[in-house]
Amino acid sequence: MTNSTNSTKLTQSAIAVTLALMLPFANAADENSDDGLEHITIISHYDKLRTEAGSATLIGEAELEKFEYNDIHRILASVPGINIREEDGYGLRPNIGFRGVTPERSKKISIMEDGVLIGPSPYSAPAAYYFPMTTRMTAVEVFKGPAAIKHGPQTVAGALNLVTRQIPEFSEGAIDLSVGADGYQKAHAHFGSVVNNVGFLLEGVTLKADGFKELDGGGDTGFVKNDLLAKFNYKFEADGIEHTLGLKLSYSDEESDETYLGLTDQDFADTPYRRYAASQPALMDTEHQQIMFSHFADGENFSVATRVYRNDYERAWKKLNGLLNSSVSLQKILHDPETYELAYGVISGKIDSVADGLPTQFLNMGTNDREYYSQGIQVDADFEQELFGFTHNIAAGVRYHEDEIERKHFEETYEMVSGIAQKAVPDVRAATQDIESTKAWSVYIEDKITLDALTLGVGVRGEFMDMHYQDQRNADLWQDKSTHIWLPSISGFYQLSEESGILFGVHEGFVPSSPKRRASEELENSINYEFGGRFNDGVTQFEVVSFFNDYQNLTETCGFSNCGIIEGETFSGGEVDVYGVEVQFSQSYPLNLHIDIPYSFVYTYTQSEFKNSFQSSFAQWGLIKAGDSLPYLADHQATFNIGFSGSDWKVNFSVKYVDEMQEVAGTGETLSGSIVPSSTTLDLSASYDFDQYGRVYAKVDNVFDNVDIVSRRPYGARPGKPRQVSVGYKYAF
């Protein structure tokens, strides 16, 4: 047991200074300037040059409606600098990274909904096993580089903000119904209005599919997700300042017959959508609730947003952990089924757990039962004023946040009988039983100073965490630790003309360590640089940004999804460089007076290298030689979108290319030398608008029905989603 402090301790004066910075914002100015504060002040004007520094991308409602995607992986294909590891084909458990950070469970990016941290436990256990349903979002915002200074705690890569529908000014609503292949069904409806200055919005979504995999012995491989949202607000004016009081309530649940178990490479080649009999009991059962109170104050030259929030999340995921009393991992068995013929036979249902009256192998079925909560209060403010002859645009914020994860894992013995996995004994074995919790203050301030054609941003972010770990099976295994760090940032944009400019930035990034990790371990941090240019003449938009992330200490943490059974162990990779170029281009070409052809191109080039040689037992590293590159990071990625648009019809195509990726960085591990092959995927959508009678649409994901290995993790080769055809109808009123 330990009780230690890391870095400089947060003082009361630091908090007082931040609060003092915000007090003037609440008392100055005369008139309202903006009531759309659920966005995080990212520039949303497409017809003029964006002059903010840092890389920021907005995908608006019109873009989201083009393909009606429910999978955040497919949505983010139109954003440069994103690296993804697919897993289930539907995006139920996204694996998202920015600029080379591990995509594993999206744990190294800050994920928000309406500007508030939405991960189950963003500090204590940041793996994003809960992810909001994207079909109900009206915008997706991505921040990378210095643009992420306002959003933590994970700041090495960036932040992702999902924006829900805002309460309308007048009565309006819509329904969206869709059906498709593999039992796909979607029902989505919303209605909002204002009654006696009280606005409200009610929204509900149900999404389901039978799944595209064929389970040995029969059974489901699909999912059902439900999502309910209610918003209320009240607006009033006092002393020339417009105030909006808000209440947001949301509930969601999911049941998915998902497993970590993949296939051998040979079985994938023969029947890629097969699922082994040992995965029959697999089930993910989750429930999420959120309540948030908000207050927005808008004046002539300031805005203040205050949010008080609480998130609760429960999940129980039953899946195959391995074979009972066996030290051989599932990954090793599926990688070399000839050597482990008996084990493979039981997993695939060809061999019974008891044959000829003698036991062979039994299945160790684990249920990772967890409860999470996160809660806090945050204040974000913007203020503009003239000082010393220069225009200062000051943004500042403070947040107090608490979160906790309680693990109540247990295991059961199953046996294979004539191709059916069934419970063998009634006993339940306790596995991981622990609690990790964090209490954190975070503060930031950034001053953007306009100096003629130059806008210079200087800022700093502070993260101050007190963490606790307790093993509930051993009272002597506990730890209290504190981590306090300041992260400076400088960025700028120099406007060359009304249509073009250059941007640059440097900031320090940081990833919190878990409460369980030793306080003496070196933290993960990096110095991140970016430089680029931007052009927009109202017709053509072009942006190119180069980046260099200099990791002083890259760390990885094992979980069931990437290592197997060594959950919680942490590994250090030392110094690592990640660098590359991001390109965005878009334009609309009028074919004639009736048809427009909008098209866009996004390209990312990424390179990475370990700076030191070392031996690691981390399953994705192994024996590393200086110069080796990171796993699950493609050198080249590109997406080309093109559409044809008439007065009442639209057709859109999206082509995505992802270069090959290596499963393991070094040598000596089970998957060393294995490659995730390159892939090219074409998606198609079309719609026809009947004016007051609504709109019909059709879409085809993976038009050419490509069958590709998208990953061999958690255990074995896994396919992406096959061709899926769906049709839908939307009616707005």
Side-chain angles (χ1 to χ4, degrees), residues 29-48:
D30 300 43
E31 297 179 14
N32 173 46
S33 60
D34 186 7
D35 59 3
L37 290 179
E38 287 177 335
H39 286 264
I40 307 184
T41 61
I42 172 177
I43 284 36
S44 57
H45 302 289
Y46 292 101
D47 58 348
K48 64 180 182 181

Side-chain angles (χ1 to χ4, degrees), residues 1-23:
M1 58 183 181
T2 65
N3 189 334
S4 55
T5 299
N6 188 2
S7 190
T8 308
K9 190 165 183 177
L10 171 66
T11 63
Q12 296 292 330
S13 59
I15 301 173
V17 167
T18 305
L19 293 174
L21 286 168
M22 298 183 182
L23 289 177

Side-chain angles (χ1 to χ4, degrees), residues 517-529:
R517 281 177 55 185
R518 293 186 300 274
S520 58
E521 291 182 7
E522 186 179 354
L523 298 173
E524 175 171 341
N525 74 310
S526 61
I527 306 297
N528 305 322
Y529 308 84

Side-chain angles (χ1 to χ4, degrees), residues 37-330:
L37 290 179
E38 287 177 335
H39 286 264
I40 307 184
T41 61
I42 172 177
I43 284 36
S44 57
H45 302 289
Y46 292 101
D47 58 348
K48 64 180 182 181
L49 181 69
R50 290 164 38 201
T51 59
E52 83 280 4
S55 302
T57 303
L58 169 69
I59 303 176
E61 188 169 11
E63 289 297 309
L64 292 174
E65 285 187 339
K66 282 185 179 179
F67 290 95
E68 299 289 348
Y69 287 140
N70 304 310
D71 182 350
I72 188 64
H73 289 158
R74 277 180 143 84
I75 292 172
L76 292 178
S78 296
V79 180
I82 308 296
N83 49 292
I84 284 169
R85 178 176 73 77
E86 291 193 47
E87 184 171 317
D88 54 64
Y90 290 115
L92 299 177
R93 245 70 62 196
N95 297 295
I96 305 166
F98 297 169
R99 293 182 172 176
V101 305
T102 178
E104 193 66 35
R105 288 291 177 265
S106 311
K107 62 187 177 183
K108 289 193 179 181
I109 62 174
S110 294
I111 302 174
M112 300 170 289
E113 181 179 293
D114 293 334
V116 167
L117 292 171
I118 197 65
S121 186
Y123 283 83
S124 303
Y129 285 95
Y130 168 76
F131 198 89
M133 194 180 293
T134 55
T135 192
R136 64 178 175 85
M137 301 302 162
T138 59
V140 174
E141 299 173 326
V142 177
F143 305 88
K144 303 188 297 290
I149 185 176
K150 302 176 184 178
H151 320 300
Q154 290 81 14
T155 55
V156 295
L160 173 66
N161 183 47
L162 305 166
V163 183
T164 63
R165 192 177 310 278
Q166 298 189 40
I167 297 172
E169 296 290 337
F170 306 97
S171 296
E172 64 177 53
I175 59 171
D176 179 6
L177 304 173
S178 181
V179 295
D182 298 318
Y184 172 79
Q185 297 177 35
K186 177 178 70 173
H188 181 193
H190 72 267
F191 176 74
S193 186
V194 178
V195 179
N196 296 327
N197 291 328
V198 177
F200 70 90
L201 172 73
L202 303 176
E203 186 168 12
V205 184
T206 182
L207 193 67
K208 65 175 294 186
D210 293 337
F212 56 84
K213 296 179 182 177
E214 296 295 328
L215 183 58
D216 291 349
D220 295 328
T221 63
F223 68 91
V224 178
K225 298 180 71 174
N226 299 294
D227 203 310
L228 299 173
L229 173 68
K231 286 185 175 182
F232 306 90
N233 70 15
Y234 176 71
K235 297 183 178 181
F236 64 94
E237 184 174 331
D239 299 325
I241 301 174
E242 279 207 4
H243 299 265
T244 303
L245 298 174
L247 170 64
K248 175 186 175 186
L249 305 169
S250 69
Y251 169 87
S252 63
D253 60 41
E254 174 191 331
E255 283 192 3
S256 53
D257 303 293
E258 272 301 331
T259 176
Y260 278 1
L261 194 62
L263 301 170
T264 68
D265 279 13
Q266 184 59 54
D267 285 341
F268 186 95
D270 295 337
T271 52
Y273 302 120
R274 178 187 177 187
R275 251 181 60 180
Y276 294 136
S279 70
Q280 291 165 359
L283 178 66
M284 170 69 113
D285 189 356
T286 77
E287 192 173 287
H288 181 270
Q289 303 96 31
Q290 183 192 60
I291 180 170
M292 182 170 74
F293 298 95
S294 60
H295 172 250
F296 300 146
D298 297 313
E300 184 179 8
N301 63 349
F302 81 95
S303 64
V304 182
T306 304
R307 301 173 176 94
V308 181
Y309 58 92
R310 166 86 183 199
N311 295 294
D312 290 279
Y313 179 63
E314 298 179 30
R315 52 152 278 194
W317 195 348
K318 176 179 287 189
K319 56 192 181 303
L320 183 67
N321 281 353
L323 296 177
L324 196 65
N325 300 322
S326 173
S327 60
V328 182
S329 69
L330 292 173

